Amino acid sequence: MNRSGMEQMWQMEFQRLFVQYLPHLWFLSPVEEKPIGSWGAFVDSAKVRFCCEKCGHGWTSMKGRVAFWFTLNPLTCEGLVVFKLFGQQCDRCNSERYEHAMWYPEEVIKVLANVYNRIGQVYYGFYQPPIHRSRRPGKPRTPHNSNLCQACKNSVCTERR
Ligand SMILES: [Zn+2]
Ligand SMILES: [Zn+2]
């Protein structure tokens, strides 16, 4: 799936869930950095694939990280969720770049359901939101390498339980 197809999948699944919060209108937008100000935060992880653009090496990570930040303006009835997908560096070549994660559709659905429930807890009185930690079956060939992980570098890659 190409990049714009990916973005469309995130947007469609987000709207399918968050339309349930009408009359509040919620929007989803990708960001490069954590936004400034007072935002709720939710970090999740998923099984994702990477492919190095420099040498072609591909790998699977169980700790593909996503960070969400969210806020609701009750005066305008508009809520905003911004998110960042973290990359990982290739361990086969000296590429300094963080490769973009390729997300499986069911993992997108899972993390959006989790942030939907977290927001429900914060703003809509949900009690004990069901956080789904299940991932696609299968083991990555190598353990998580913090030195190559952008989320580790940004201090959002710690297990929260
Ligand atoms: Zn590489
Ligand atoms: Zn990490």
Side-chain angles (χ1 to χ4, degrees):
M1 193 178 294
N2 64 25
R3 189 70 50 79
S4 67
M6 277 272 293
E7 278 186 25
Q8 196 180 17
M9 181 174 66
W10 284 84
Q11 293 291 346
M12 282 180 64
E13 181 61 19
F14 178 87
Q15 287 304 331
R16 193 184 69 77
L17 286 168
F18 280 73
V19 72
Q20 297 172 85
Y21 289 146
L22 283 171
H24 292 156
L25 277 178
W26 283 87
F27 301 94
L28 178 69
S29 180
V31 290
E32 285 302 316
E33 301 288 338
K34 179 184 181 201
I36 294 169
S38 179
W39 296 69
F42 179 71
V43 177
D44 209 349
S45 55
K47 179 180 178 181
V48 298
R49 283 284 300 168
F50 292 93
C51 183
C52 177
E53 280 193 11
K54 191 171 169 190
C55 76
H57 171 53
W59 68 98
T60 297
S61 173
M62 304 303 279
K63 292 192 176 172
R65 297 294 187 178
V66 55
F68 297 98
W69 296 278
F70 53 87
T71 186
L72 173 65
N73 183 337
L75 297 177
T76 62
C77 290
E78 287 184 349
L80 180 60
V81 180
V82 299
F83 73 111
K84 178 174 173 63
L85 304 177
F86 292 94
Q88 293 182 9
Q89 287 176 337
C90 178
D91 67 354
R92 293 277 177 89
C93 65
N94 292 321
S95 172
E96 290 291 300
R97 52 174 279 133
Y98 289 106
E99 301 301 332
H100 291 287
M102 292 174 280
W103 280 67
Y104 298 101
E106 61 263 43
E107 298 291 280
V108 173
I109 288 167
K110 181 195 75 178
V111 300
L112 285 175
N114 287 341
V115 73
Y116 170 82
N117 280 308
R118 174 58 56 90
I119 286 170
Q121 187 188 37
V122 171
Y123 295 112
Y124 301 103
F126 285 20
Y127 179 71
Q128 283 198 332
I131 300 293
H132 300 292
R133 291 291 170 206
S134 64
R135 300 179 186 127
R136 286 170 70 100
K139 289 189 164 139
R141 286 195 196 93
T142 54
H144 186 61
N145 186 336
S146 292
N147 294 326
L148 303 173
C149 174
Q150 187 180 25
C152 284
K153 199 162 208 164
N154 289 195
S155 303
V156 305
C157 198
T158 49
E159 293 290 351
R160 290 172 305 123
R161 299 179 180 219

